[in-house]
Amino acid sequence: MESRVAQKKKPMVKPITILKGIGPKLVPFLQTCAIYFVLYPDSSRSNLIHLAFKCAPIISLCVFVLLHGMNLRFEYAYSRRILTGLIFSCVGDALLVYKEWYFEHGVLMFGIAHVIYTSAFGLRPFNLYAGGSCVLLGLFSHWLLGSSLNGIMYYLIVAYICLITFMLWRAIARIQLFDQLWTWTKLCSCFGAVCFVISDLLLALDRFRAPFSYSHQLIMVSYYTAQLLIALSVVDSKLDWTVNYRVIQETDLFKLAEEVRLLKKQVRQRKREEMRRSSSRECLASAASSSSSSSSSSQSQSS
């Protein structure tokens, strides 16, 4: 079993190879980001032009994901989910342009995006330590923001904190350094999730606690970086999904099959022991009956 698993641990795409292959495809994203920051150094203006330029980098990332292959086959499940998360994020960006009226709707769209990202990252391996750290981060965020929230906004932000910290946990848990089941693209998704948390925490502090200087630039730089890194994780996703995930899955199946085999062996041994005991009891009973019959016959003869 170990040899079979070792054979499947093939080397992933190197970072230099990734940069050479995807560099030209990222030019639209970098250009739209630069144009957005030049035209809108702050978020004071809410109009359709602002909406278009704000969503343009995310749309370019959607195109980037599509260029790396997309169909309904099993190997592209990760890419499909990342693409869907980017689409919901784009809708959330559009709604947050008009945050005076649609802030709650934008938060809801990003919450759905985090659920989809979490489904892409998967629920294995578990990594309890990373989960505990993310729980502490969520509690700290609640302590930091809870006193500034009231009404429906309190419950909405608490639910959002739970979703984004859960997404962060699953992104961190994908990196298995000691088992050599990590890739550069997994690192991208992990750092992307971290940048997403930083961006949303800065946004919450600026909106609910106290506005600070250069908040718009810091929030958007960390946000676009997060989405870029998460989108980059699809570059090696087909090989990553078919090799590493299945290695873990098949290893678990092998362990389960071995446990079932041992259990069946124990059941067979118990049945044999019961048969031996029952046969020995039958022998003793027959011997006792034969001795009693012989004694009774001898008594009748003597009489």
Side-chain angles (χ1 to χ4, degrees):
M1 182 183 69
E2 293 180 356
S3 61
R4 182 177 177 181
V5 172
Q7 289 177 357
K8 291 191 174 186
K9 292 181 181 178
K10 299 178 181 178
M12 301 298 166
V13 181
K14 296 181 180 180
I16 301 299
T17 306
I18 292 176
L19 291 176
K20 290 180 180 179
I22 68 177
K25 299 176 184 178
L26 291 177
V27 171
F29 169 77
L30 299 175
Q31 289 177 339
T32 51
C33 285
I35 294 172
Y36 174 73
F37 284 112
V38 169
L39 295 180
Y40 296 95
D42 55 58
S43 59
S44 58
R45 289 173 285 180
S46 300
N47 50 54
L48 291 177
I49 300 176
H50 182 193
L51 185 152
F53 280 105
K54 184 179 181 182
C55 295
I58 306 302
I59 294 174
S60 65
L61 289 178
C62 292
V63 176
F64 171 82
V65 174
L66 289 171
L67 290 176
H68 279 277
M70 185 67 59
N71 56 42
L72 297 178
R73 292 171 58 186
F74 173 79
E75 304 88 66
Y76 292 94
Y78 183 87
S79 298
R80 290 197 302 270
R81 292 169 185 174
I82 295 298
L83 176 64
T84 308
L86 287 171
I87 292 173
F88 276 98
S89 298
C90 188
V91 176
D93 283 331
L95 292 171
L96 289 183
V97 171
Y98 303 95
K99 55 187 175 183
E100 294 81 5
W101 303 283
Y102 299 109
F103 182 82
E104 294 84 357
H105 304 81
V107 172
L108 179 61
M109 291 297 104
F110 277 108
I112 296 173
H114 293 319
V115 172
I116 298 171
Y117 286 153
T118 302
S119 67
F121 298 152
L123 298 178
R124 293 189 304 178
F126 191 72
N127 198 336
L128 182 62
Y129 298 105
S133 301
C134 292
V135 169
L136 293 177
L137 177 61
L139 294 175
F140 173 75
S141 301
H142 178 268
W143 171 79
L144 198 62
L145 302 171
S147 60
S148 305
L149 304 171
N150 51 47
I152 190 65
M153 185 61 68
Y154 172 81
Y155 299 101
L156 182 63
I157 297 302
V158 168
Y160 186 82
I161 290 173
C162 294
L163 292 176
I164 194 171
T165 51
F166 191 77
M167 185 270 293
L168 176 64
W169 171 36
R170 300 319 310 152
I172 296 174
R174 298 181 74 212
I175 303 177
Q176 304 172 71
L177 297 175
F178 300 103
D179 296 331
Q180 296 182 354
L181 290 176
W182 64 275
T183 63
W184 289 105
T185 49
K186 286 183 177 180
L187 287 175
C188 285
S189 63
C190 176
F191 290 130
V194 172
C195 290
F196 222 131
V197 171
I198 293 173
S199 174
D200 286 345
L201 186 58
L202 291 175
L203 176 62
L205 290 174
D206 181 68
R207 181 176 178 86
F208 300 114
R209 291 299 296 264
F212 54 91
S213 302
Y214 304 105
S215 60
H216 175 69
Q217 290 83 351
L218 293 173
I219 291 168
M220 296 309 299
V221 166
S222 56
Y223 169 70
Y224 285 141
T225 302
Q227 296 287 31
L228 171 62
L229 292 173
I230 292 175
L232 283 175
S233 65
V234 308
V235 173
D236 209 17
S237 61
K238 182 179 178 181
L239 183 61
D240 177 40
W241 189 276
T242 56
V243 175
N244 294 300
Y245 181 76
R246 286 183 176 179
V247 165
I248 298 171
Q249 191 177 35
E250 289 179 6
T251 303
D252 291 343
L253 290 176
F254 290 147
K255 290 180 180 178
L256 179 62
E258 183 68 16
E259 291 176 357
V260 170
R261 188 184 67 81
L262 293 175
L263 182 61
K264 288 182 179 179
K265 184 178 179 180
Q266 293 176 358
V267 170
R268 287 195 297 267
Q269 290 177 350
R270 289 177 182 177
K271 286 183 178 180
R272 290 186 189 131
E273 291 177 358
E274 290 178 357
M275 291 177 64
R276 289 174 185 172
R277 291 174 182 174
S278 61
S279 61
S280 62
R281 284 195 297 266
E282 289 176 358
C283 292
L284 292 173
S286 62
S289 62
S290 61
S291 61
S292 61
S293 62
S294 62
S295 62
S296 61
S297 61
S298 60
Q299 290 176 1
S300 60
Q301 290 177 359
S302 62
S303 62

